[in-house]
């Protein structure tokens, strides 16, 4: 079974470029994506601010993670919310990913528009309108596989009532979500988890299919205390998975962001059923948070490479040690660390510079020998809040080259 509609992804090359895409230069307006990239435009044809992806780094990261998951004996359902780019999802699926993870119903609708046939919703879906739509999708397509989470008896009751009202014919598969303080959602105690499982088994519109959770909210560094908290939580997930009676032939146990997936494998691999990692940031990686905390950076595998870079122009030098760049919060991620100046395009590495603050449209850069008009490449932290600011992202043949060439354009839907 094809997990994504390849023809629908290929058709993205027929989209016409215009003013809707802030990364696209005026000279490309009216051309299709395919027509424009066939001319191999240079990056210097694009204005600033700009976000790019590096083709080689993307390929490397996809291969590295796919190979690691295969060797570990687990499945990978990468979190699609990181990129919301069906073209990148296709790369991950073609490399062997089991399915695509998503976070909410609008994201699931994007996936279905591109024929994604196996979706793990790492969240609860209680909206009656959304549940009616989902029931229609499941009933209309027998090959569509969908898995969601529940973390309360009340949530089970609301899902069951909405699905009954919608006349659902196929039961919705759900995982009991186990949480821990100070995490996000997820039932906090094991006794409550068992009650939720029994409620699911009693609901004819639902099917108990596994256990889910997220360890990434419990630690934000790789300290001994952080790793111990993650391990303790994952052992609880494993124990709950062993205790439940499932209503599917192959139950799922799923965890794993992009920071501690090695520990997920260490604790969960070998359990009965299917162990599914949901790591998503790996495909793009970064020059910030994940660069430091990724298991591969800590010696657990082949290091990933940051595929995303921002490009911003020096537009003002109002003080001797201050430069203002034409990119800000509307263009760059900043929630997990400020951008990092790396090089001046066409000149080489930049030394002694740092971004100290961002406004909506400006970056404040102190230090570094730059002149008004020069273009600075910035490393970014946290791909989830970088790509969401761009609807069309150029892919270059090498961000380290003096004269990068654009070889593709990636469309996103956030």
């Amino acid at each position: 079974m094809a997990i994504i509609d390849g023809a629908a992804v290929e058709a993205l090359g027929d989209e016409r470029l215009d003013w809707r895409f802030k990364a696209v230069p005026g000279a490309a307006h009216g051309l299709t994506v395919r027509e424009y990239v066939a001319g191999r435009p240079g990056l210097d044809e694009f204005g600033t601010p700009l976000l790019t992806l590096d083709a080689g780094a993307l390929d490397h990261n996809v291969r590295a993670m796919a190979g690691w998951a295969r060797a570990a004996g687990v499945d990978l359902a990468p979190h699609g919310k990181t990129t919301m780019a069906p073209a990148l999802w296709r790369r991950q699926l073609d490399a062997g990913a089991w399915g695509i993870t998503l976070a909410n119903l609008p994201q699931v609708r994007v996936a279905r528009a591109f024929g994604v046939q196996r979706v793990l919703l790492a969240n609860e879906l209680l909206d009656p309108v959304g549940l009616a739509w989902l029931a229609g999708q499941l009933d209309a397509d027998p090959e569509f596989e969908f898995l969601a989470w529940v973390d309360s008896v009340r949530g089970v009751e609301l899902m069951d009532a909405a699905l009954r009202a919608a006349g659902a014919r196929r039961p919705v598969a759900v995982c009991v979500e186990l949480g821990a303080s100070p995490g996000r959602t997820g039932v906090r105690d094991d006794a409550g988890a068992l009650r939720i499982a029994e409620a699911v088994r009693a609901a004819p519109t639902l099917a108990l299919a596994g256990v889910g959770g997220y360890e990434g909210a419990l630690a934000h560094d790789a300290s001994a205390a952080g790793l111990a908290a993650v391990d303790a939580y994952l052992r609880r997930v494993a124990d709950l998975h062993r205790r439940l009676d499932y209503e599917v032939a192959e139950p799922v146990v799923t965890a794993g962001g992009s920071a501690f997936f090695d520990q997920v494998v260490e604790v969960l691999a070998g359990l009965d059923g299917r162990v599914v990692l949901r790591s998503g940031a790996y495909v793009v990686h970064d020059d910030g948070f994940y660069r430091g905390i990724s298991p591969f950076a800590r010696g657990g595998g082949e290091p990933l490479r940051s595929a995303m870079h921002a490009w911003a122009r020096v537009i003002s030098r109002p003080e001797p040690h201050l430069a203002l760049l034409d990119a800000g919060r509307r263009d760059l991620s900043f929630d997990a660390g400020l951008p990092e100046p790396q090089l001046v395009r066409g000149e080489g590495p930049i030394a002694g510079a740092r971004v100290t603050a961002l406004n909506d449209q400006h970056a404040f850069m102190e230090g570094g020998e730059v002149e008004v008009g020069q273009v600075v490449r910035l490393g970014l932290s946290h791909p989830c809040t970088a790509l969401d600011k761009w609807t069309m992202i150029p892919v270059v043949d090498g961000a380290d080259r003096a004269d990068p060439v654009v070889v593709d354009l990636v469309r996103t839907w956030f």
Side-chain angles (χ1 to χ4, degrees):
M1 178 185 73
I3 307 179
I4 193 168
D5 185 345
V9 176
E10 290 294 329
L12 291 172
D14 298 323
E15 184 165 17
R16 296 218 170 262
L17 301 170
D18 58 28
W19 53 268
R20 292 171 296 160
F21 310 116
K22 68 179 183 178
V24 174
H29 290 185
L31 298 176
T32 67
V33 169
R34 188 173 290 107
E35 290 168 342
Y36 185 57
V37 299
R40 295 181 60 81
L43 193 63
D44 57 0
E45 295 183 22
F46 288 71
T48 54
L50 183 65
L51 180 78
T52 62
L53 296 172
D54 184 288
L58 289 173
D59 290 343
H60 167 80
N61 295 345
V62 169
R63 288 196 307 269
M65 190 66 183
W68 188 89
R70 280 194 300 271
V74 299
D75 286 302
L76 179 62
H79 212 318
K81 75 175 176 68
T82 299
T83 66
M84 285 309 295
L88 296 183
W89 298 349
R90 184 187 184 187
R91 291 192 191 197
Q92 295 168 294
L93 291 165
D94 286 349
W98 176 75
I100 293 294
T101 298
L102 295 164
N104 60 31
L105 190 68
Q107 294 172 6
V108 177
R109 292 187 184 196
V110 173
R112 291 301 288 158
F114 287 88
V116 176
Q117 291 293 82
R118 187 176 290 128
V119 171
L120 196 165
L121 180 65
N123 208 339
E124 299 188 71
L125 178 56
L126 302 183
D127 168 24
V129 175
L131 285 165
W133 175 85
L134 174 63
Q137 292 287 303
L138 289 167
D139 291 343
D141 186 353
E143 294 189 342
F144 176 37
E145 300 177 33
F146 178 85
L147 187 62
W149 288 1
V150 290
D151 80 345
S152 67
V153 171
R154 176 60 174 160
V156 170
E157 294 169 347
L158 290 171
M159 287 187 75
D160 182 49
L163 290 167
R164 286 174 185 262
R169 297 192 298 274
R170 283 180 63 190
V172 174
V174 295
C175 289
V176 175
E177 182 193 2
L178 185 67
S181 183
R184 298 192 301 228
T185 55
V187 60
R188 295 301 199 250
D189 63 287
D190 295 357
L194 295 175
R195 288 193 295 272
I196 295 165
E198 288 306 309
V200 171
R201 292 177 59 84
T205 62
L206 303 176
L208 185 61
V211 173
Y214 176 57
E215 75 291 344
L218 304 179
H220 300 286
D221 57 41
S223 65
L227 298 179
V230 169
D231 273 343
Y233 166 70
L234 291 170
R235 287 194 293 271
R236 289 184 57 215
V237 171
D239 181 63
L240 179 62
H241 178 73
R242 296 186 187 99
R243 296 175 67 182
L244 299 185
D245 293 322
Y246 298 103
E247 299 177 279
V248 296
E250 188 175 42
V252 165
V253 56
T254 175
S258 293
F260 306 108
F261 54 79
D262 55 337
Q263 292 175 263
V264 173
V265 167
E266 184 176 337
V267 176
L268 302 186
L271 292 174
D272 290 340
R274 187 180 295 274
V275 178
V276 179
L277 295 178
R278 304 190 310 276
S279 312
Y282 76 89
V283 65
V284 173
H285 199 49
D286 71 4
D287 282 311
F289 177 73
Y290 289 111
R291 177 178 61 188
I293 204 170
S294 166
F296 293 171
R298 294 185 272 117
E302 187 177 5
L304 301 173
R305 292 158 48 188
S306 180
M308 65 176 179
H309 301 91
W311 306 81
R313 196 175 307 271
V314 180
I315 58 171
S316 178
R317 289 296 310 267
E319 300 173 15
H321 300 290
L322 174 65
L324 275 295
L325 312 181
D326 65 351
R329 294 181 179 181
R330 302 293 177 91
D331 315 295
L332 313 173
S333 54
F334 57 90
D335 60 309
L338 290 171
E340 146 186 306
Q342 295 178 332
L343 58 80
V344 175
R345 192 169 74 195
E347 299 291 334
I350 184 171
R354 66 188 184 99
V355 172
T356 59
L358 295 178
N359 290 159
D360 281 358
Q361 314 294 167
H362 296 92
F364 292 72
M365 188 177 80
E366 294 184 356
E369 297 298 324
V370 294
E371 299 178 2
V372 170
Q374 289 183 317
V375 175
V376 177
R377 192 185 83 184
L378 302 167
L380 302 177
S381 180
H382 198 193
C384 297
T385 54
L387 274 67
D388 66 347
K389 297 167 176 59
W390 299 87
T391 52
M392 191 74 80
I393 305 174
V395 179
V396 297
D397 63 349
D400 291 334
R401 292 168 53 99
D403 53 352
V405 170
V406 173
V407 296
D408 200 1
L409 295 171
V410 168
R411 182 74 153 90
T412 69
W413 278 268
F414 283 96

